[in-house]
Short mmCIF file of all heavy atoms in Angstrom, two decimals:
data_model
loop_
_atom_site.label_atom_id
_atom_site.label_comp_id
_atom_site.label_asym_id
_atom_site.label_seq_id
_atom_site.Cartn_x
_atom_site.Cartn_y
_atom_site.Cartn_z
N HIS A 348 -23.33 5.54 -15.77
CA HIS A 348 -22.58 4.16 -15.79
C HIS A 348 -21.15 4.39 -15.92
O HIS A 348 -20.36 3.67 -15.32
CB HIS A 348 -23.09 3.39 -17.02
CG HIS A 348 -23.49 2.06 -16.72
ND1 HIS A 348 -24.25 1.74 -15.63
CD2 HIS A 348 -23.23 0.88 -17.23
CE1 HIS A 348 -24.45 0.49 -15.50
NE2 HIS A 348 -23.76 -0.05 -16.58
N GLY A 349 -20.70 5.56 -16.53
CA GLY A 349 -19.31 5.73 -16.77
C GLY A 349 -18.80 6.83 -15.89
O GLY A 349 -17.88 7.48 -16.37
N SER A 350 -19.37 6.92 -14.70
CA SER A 350 -18.96 8.07 -13.80
C SER A 350 -17.82 7.64 -13.02
O SER A 350 -17.65 6.48 -12.63
CB SER A 350 -20.09 8.59 -12.93
OG SER A 350 -20.09 7.80 -11.89
N LEU A 351 -16.99 8.62 -12.62
CA LEU A 351 -15.58 8.47 -12.05
C LEU A 351 -15.45 9.63 -11.13
O LEU A 351 -15.58 10.69 -11.49
CB LEU A 351 -14.55 8.29 -13.03
CG LEU A 351 -13.28 7.63 -12.84
CD1 LEU A 351 -13.55 6.14 -12.34
CD2 LEU A 351 -12.38 7.61 -14.07
N ARG A 352 -15.23 9.29 -9.79
CA ARG A 352 -15.17 10.38 -8.86
C ARG A 352 -13.66 10.33 -8.22
O ARG A 352 -13.20 9.29 -7.66
CB ARG A 352 -16.07 10.25 -7.69
CG ARG A 352 -16.00 11.40 -6.65
CD ARG A 352 -16.75 11.23 -5.42
NE ARG A 352 -16.23 10.32 -4.52
CZ ARG A 352 -16.56 10.09 -3.32
NH1 ARG A 352 -17.54 10.86 -2.83
NH2 ARG A 352 -15.97 9.22 -2.54
N PHE A 353 -12.95 11.44 -8.44
CA PHE A 353 -11.62 11.63 -7.71
C PHE A 353 -11.79 12.67 -6.67
O PHE A 353 -12.33 13.70 -6.89
CB PHE A 353 -10.71 12.15 -8.73
CG PHE A 353 -10.28 11.21 -9.80
CD1 PHE A 353 -10.69 11.44 -11.20
CD2 PHE A 353 -9.57 10.12 -9.61
CE1 PHE A 353 -10.40 10.67 -12.23
CE2 PHE A 353 -9.23 9.27 -10.69
CZ PHE A 353 -9.71 9.54 -11.95
N THR A 354 -11.49 12.30 -5.36
CA THR A 354 -11.60 13.38 -4.34
C THR A 354 -10.13 13.49 -3.80
O THR A 354 -9.67 12.57 -3.11
CB THR A 354 -12.55 13.01 -3.30
OG1 THR A 354 -12.60 11.62 -3.00
CG2 THR A 354 -14.05 13.38 -3.68
N LEU A 355 -9.57 14.62 -4.09
CA LEU A 355 -8.27 14.78 -3.61
C LEU A 355 -8.03 15.30 -2.19
O LEU A 355 -9.01 15.90 -1.76
CB LEU A 355 -7.53 15.84 -4.57
CG LEU A 355 -7.08 15.35 -5.99
CD1 LEU A 355 -8.37 14.84 -6.76
CD2 LEU A 355 -6.50 16.46 -6.73
N GLY A 356 -6.96 15.16 -1.64
CA GLY A 356 -6.75 15.57 -0.17
C GLY A 356 -5.33 15.95 -0.08
O GLY A 356 -4.50 16.04 -0.91
N ARG A 357 -5.08 16.15 1.26
CA ARG A 357 -3.80 16.78 1.74
C ARG A 357 -2.59 16.00 1.35
O ARG A 357 -1.57 16.54 1.02
CB ARG A 357 -3.85 16.56 3.21
CG ARG A 357 -3.41 17.80 4.00
CD ARG A 357 -3.21 17.32 5.42
NE ARG A 357 -4.29 18.07 6.23
CZ ARG A 357 -4.59 17.62 7.45
NH1 ARG A 357 -3.97 16.57 7.99
NH2 ARG A 357 -5.50 18.38 8.19
N SER A 358 -2.70 14.63 1.25
CA SER A 358 -1.43 13.81 0.87
C SER A 358 -1.06 13.98 -0.57
O SER A 358 -0.06 13.52 -0.96
CB SER A 358 -1.67 12.52 1.36
OG SER A 358 -2.65 11.80 0.49
N ASN A 359 -2.02 14.37 -1.42
CA ASN A 359 -1.72 14.30 -2.84
C ASN A 359 -0.79 15.23 -3.21
O ASN A 359 -0.56 16.32 -2.77
CB ASN A 359 -3.00 14.39 -3.59
CG ASN A 359 -4.03 13.25 -3.40
OD1 ASN A 359 -5.10 13.53 -3.02
ND2 ASN A 359 -3.57 12.09 -3.55
N THR A 360 0.08 14.73 -4.36
CA THR A 360 1.06 15.63 -5.06
C THR A 360 0.88 15.72 -6.44
O THR A 360 0.07 15.08 -7.08
CB THR A 360 2.46 14.99 -4.77
OG1 THR A 360 2.44 13.68 -5.38
CG2 THR A 360 2.77 14.75 -3.27
N LYS A 361 1.73 16.59 -6.96
CA LYS A 361 1.70 16.70 -8.43
C LYS A 361 2.06 15.44 -9.15
O LYS A 361 1.46 15.03 -10.23
CB LYS A 361 2.66 17.81 -8.89
CG LYS A 361 2.70 18.00 -10.32
CD LYS A 361 3.24 19.31 -10.79
CE LYS A 361 2.99 19.54 -12.34
NZ LYS A 361 3.62 18.31 -13.08
N GLU A 362 2.84 14.60 -8.59
CA GLU A 362 3.16 13.38 -9.14
C GLU A 362 2.10 12.42 -9.14
O GLU A 362 1.90 11.49 -10.12
CB GLU A 362 4.39 12.70 -8.36
CG GLU A 362 5.76 13.24 -8.42
CD GLU A 362 5.93 14.72 -7.80
OE1 GLU A 362 5.48 14.83 -6.60
OE2 GLU A 362 6.45 15.59 -8.46
N ASP A 363 1.17 12.45 -8.21
CA ASP A 363 0.00 11.62 -8.27
C ASP A 363 -0.80 12.03 -9.42
O ASP A 363 -1.33 11.02 -10.11
CB ASP A 363 -0.78 11.87 -7.00
CG ASP A 363 -0.14 11.48 -5.72
OD1 ASP A 363 0.89 10.75 -5.80
OD2 ASP A 363 -0.66 11.80 -4.63
N ILE A 364 -0.91 13.23 -9.76
CA ILE A 364 -1.75 13.78 -10.84
C ILE A 364 -1.00 13.36 -12.23
O ILE A 364 -1.77 12.74 -13.07
CB ILE A 364 -1.91 15.27 -10.75
CG1 ILE A 364 -2.43 15.78 -9.45
CG2 ILE A 364 -2.82 15.73 -11.94
CD1 ILE A 364 -3.78 15.19 -8.94
N ASP A 365 0.17 13.45 -12.24
CA ASP A 365 0.98 12.88 -13.40
C ASP A 365 0.67 11.49 -13.59
O ASP A 365 0.44 11.07 -14.84
CB ASP A 365 2.40 13.09 -13.18
CG ASP A 365 2.83 14.66 -13.19
OD1 ASP A 365 1.98 15.48 -13.63
OD2 ASP A 365 3.88 14.85 -12.67
N LYS A 366 0.73 10.69 -12.52
CA LYS A 366 0.36 9.29 -12.76
C LYS A 366 -1.00 8.98 -13.29
O LYS A 366 -1.17 8.10 -14.20
CB LYS A 366 0.58 8.52 -11.38
CG LYS A 366 0.34 7.16 -11.34
CD LYS A 366 1.37 6.16 -11.78
CE LYS A 366 0.90 4.68 -11.75
NZ LYS A 366 1.94 3.71 -12.07
N VAL A 367 -2.01 9.72 -12.80
CA VAL A 367 -3.37 9.48 -13.32
C VAL A 367 -3.38 9.82 -14.80
O VAL A 367 -4.03 9.11 -15.68
CB VAL A 367 -4.30 10.37 -12.60
CG1 VAL A 367 -5.81 10.21 -13.10
CG2 VAL A 367 -4.33 9.96 -10.99
N ILE A 368 -2.66 10.93 -15.18
CA ILE A 368 -2.73 11.43 -16.44
C ILE A 368 -2.09 10.37 -17.37
O ILE A 368 -2.26 10.23 -18.61
CB ILE A 368 -2.19 12.74 -16.74
CG1 ILE A 368 -3.06 13.84 -15.86
CG2 ILE A 368 -2.02 13.26 -18.03
CD1 ILE A 368 -4.46 13.74 -16.30
N GLU A 369 -1.01 9.69 -16.81
CA GLU A 369 -0.22 8.69 -17.57
C GLU A 369 -1.13 7.40 -17.76
O GLU A 369 -1.13 6.83 -18.92
CB GLU A 369 0.98 8.33 -16.85
CG GLU A 369 1.96 7.40 -17.50
CD GLU A 369 2.90 6.91 -16.50
OE1 GLU A 369 3.45 7.70 -15.57
OE2 GLU A 369 3.23 5.57 -16.48
N VAL A 370 -1.81 7.00 -16.86
CA VAL A 370 -2.49 5.64 -16.82
C VAL A 370 -3.95 5.71 -17.28
O VAL A 370 -4.54 4.74 -17.85
CB VAL A 370 -2.40 4.90 -15.53
CG1 VAL A 370 -0.94 4.70 -15.12
CG2 VAL A 370 -3.19 5.39 -14.38
N LEU A 371 -4.71 6.76 -16.98
CA LEU A 371 -6.06 6.81 -17.31
C LEU A 371 -6.45 6.71 -18.77
O LEU A 371 -7.34 5.97 -19.16
CB LEU A 371 -6.85 8.08 -16.54
CG LEU A 371 -8.35 7.95 -16.74
CD1 LEU A 371 -9.00 6.79 -16.17
CD2 LEU A 371 -8.87 9.26 -16.05
N PRO A 372 -5.85 7.52 -19.56
CA PRO A 372 -6.14 7.51 -20.99
C PRO A 372 -5.99 6.06 -21.66
O PRO A 372 -6.99 5.65 -22.36
CB PRO A 372 -5.19 8.47 -21.73
CG PRO A 372 -4.86 9.47 -20.64
CD PRO A 372 -4.86 8.70 -19.42
N PRO A 373 -4.90 5.39 -21.44
CA PRO A 373 -4.87 3.96 -22.00
C PRO A 373 -5.89 3.18 -21.47
O PRO A 373 -6.39 2.19 -22.12
CB PRO A 373 -3.38 3.50 -21.65
CG PRO A 373 -2.76 4.56 -20.94
CD PRO A 373 -3.50 5.75 -20.83
N ILE A 374 -6.25 3.21 -20.22
CA ILE A 374 -7.39 2.41 -19.55
C ILE A 374 -8.74 2.70 -20.41
O ILE A 374 -9.44 1.85 -20.71
CB ILE A 374 -7.42 2.72 -18.03
CG1 ILE A 374 -6.36 2.17 -17.27
CG2 ILE A 374 -8.89 2.17 -17.46
CD1 ILE A 374 -6.32 2.64 -15.74
N VAL A 375 -8.95 3.99 -20.49
CA VAL A 375 -10.11 4.38 -21.18
C VAL A 375 -10.27 3.87 -22.65
O VAL A 375 -11.24 3.18 -23.05
CB VAL A 375 -10.44 5.91 -21.16
CG1 VAL A 375 -11.47 6.28 -22.11
CG2 VAL A 375 -10.70 6.35 -19.74
N SER A 376 -9.02 3.95 -23.35
CA SER A 376 -9.05 3.42 -24.65
C SER A 376 -9.17 1.91 -24.76
O SER A 376 -9.86 1.41 -25.67
CB SER A 376 -7.99 4.05 -25.55
OG SER A 376 -6.78 3.62 -25.02
N LYS A 377 -8.54 1.22 -23.87
CA LYS A 377 -8.64 -0.22 -23.80
C LYS A 377 -10.09 -0.64 -23.49
O LYS A 377 -10.74 -1.54 -24.27
CB LYS A 377 -7.74 -0.77 -22.60
CG LYS A 377 -7.93 -2.24 -22.48
CD LYS A 377 -7.00 -2.67 -21.30
CE LYS A 377 -7.49 -4.14 -20.89
NZ LYS A 377 -6.80 -4.65 -19.67
N LEU A 378 -10.71 0.02 -22.64
CA LEU A 378 -12.10 -0.44 -22.32
C LEU A 378 -13.11 0.11 -23.43
O LEU A 378 -14.12 -0.61 -23.79
CB LEU A 378 -12.66 0.16 -21.01
CG LEU A 378 -12.00 -0.30 -19.69
CD1 LEU A 378 -12.20 0.38 -18.49
CD2 LEU A 378 -12.34 -1.86 -19.48
N ARG A 379 -12.81 1.18 -24.02
CA ARG A 379 -13.55 1.68 -25.13
C ARG A 379 -13.52 0.61 -26.35
O ARG A 379 -14.49 0.24 -27.01
CB ARG A 379 -13.26 3.06 -25.61
CG ARG A 379 -13.85 4.03 -24.69
CD ARG A 379 -13.68 5.37 -25.19
NE ARG A 379 -14.40 6.39 -24.32
CZ ARG A 379 -14.22 7.71 -24.27
NH1 ARG A 379 -13.18 8.27 -25.11
NH2 ARG A 379 -14.97 8.45 -23.50
N LYS A 380 -12.34 0.09 -26.62
CA LYS A 380 -12.22 -0.99 -27.63
C LYS A 380 -13.08 -2.13 -27.33
O LYS A 380 -13.52 -2.95 -28.16
CB LYS A 380 -10.75 -1.39 -27.66
CG LYS A 380 -9.82 -0.47 -28.44
CD LYS A 380 -8.68 -1.13 -29.15
CE LYS A 380 -7.80 -0.09 -29.78
NZ LYS A 380 -6.84 0.67 -28.76
N MET A 381 -13.34 -2.41 -26.02
CA MET A 381 -14.23 -3.53 -25.66
C MET A 381 -15.64 -3.18 -25.69
O MET A 381 -16.49 -4.09 -25.60
CB MET A 381 -13.84 -3.91 -24.24
CG MET A 381 -13.06 -5.17 -23.99
SD MET A 381 -12.91 -5.55 -22.36
CE MET A 381 -11.24 -4.97 -22.02
N SER A 382 -16.00 -1.96 -25.90
CA SER A 382 -17.32 -1.47 -25.63
C SER A 382 -18.06 -1.68 -27.03
O SER A 382 -17.54 -1.34 -28.08
CB SER A 382 -17.45 -0.11 -25.17
OG SER A 382 -18.66 0.44 -25.46
N PRO A 383 -19.44 -2.12 -26.86
CA PRO A 383 -20.27 -2.22 -28.07
C PRO A 383 -20.74 -0.89 -28.62
O PRO A 383 -21.28 -0.80 -29.60
CB PRO A 383 -21.36 -3.09 -27.75
CG PRO A 383 -21.41 -2.96 -26.16
CD PRO A 383 -20.05 -2.66 -25.72
N PHE A 384 -20.39 0.18 -27.84
CA PHE A 384 -21.00 1.43 -28.31
C PHE A 384 -19.94 2.28 -29.13
O PHE A 384 -19.58 3.37 -29.00
CB PHE A 384 -21.28 2.36 -27.10
CG PHE A 384 -22.39 1.88 -26.26
CD1 PHE A 384 -22.29 1.45 -24.95
CD2 PHE A 384 -23.61 1.95 -26.81
CE1 PHE A 384 -23.38 1.03 -24.26
CE2 PHE A 384 -24.75 1.66 -26.13
CZ PHE A 384 -24.55 1.11 -24.90
N GLY A 385 -19.53 1.42 -30.15
CA GLY A 385 -18.51 2.03 -31.21
C GLY A 385 -17.33 2.76 -30.46
O GLY A 385 -16.93 2.33 -29.33
N LYS A 386 -16.85 3.77 -31.08
CA LYS A 386 -15.80 4.51 -30.47
C LYS A 386 -14.51 3.56 -30.08
O LYS A 386 -14.10 3.72 -28.99
CB LYS A 386 -16.30 5.27 -29.36
CG LYS A 386 -16.50 6.75 -29.44
CD LYS A 386 -15.33 7.39 -29.98
CE LYS A 386 -15.40 8.91 -29.94
NZ LYS A 386 -14.68 9.75 -30.81
#
Side-chain angles (χ1 to χ4, degrees):
Chain A
H348 230 41
S350 87
L351 206 50
R352 182 190 76 166
F353 297 109
T354 38
L355 282 60
R357 223 189 249 165
S358 69
N359 294 127
T360 60
K361 178 159 184 313
E362 286 69 46
D363 295 349
I364 307 304
D365 292 345
K366 174 85 181 184
V367 175
I368 296 303
E369 180 196 322
V370 304
L371 186 60
I374 288 172
V375 168
S376 63
K377 177 184 164 182
L378 291 170
R379 278 183 176 165
K380 280 207 184 81
M381 255 186 253
S382 164
F384 289 115
K386 255 308 187 202

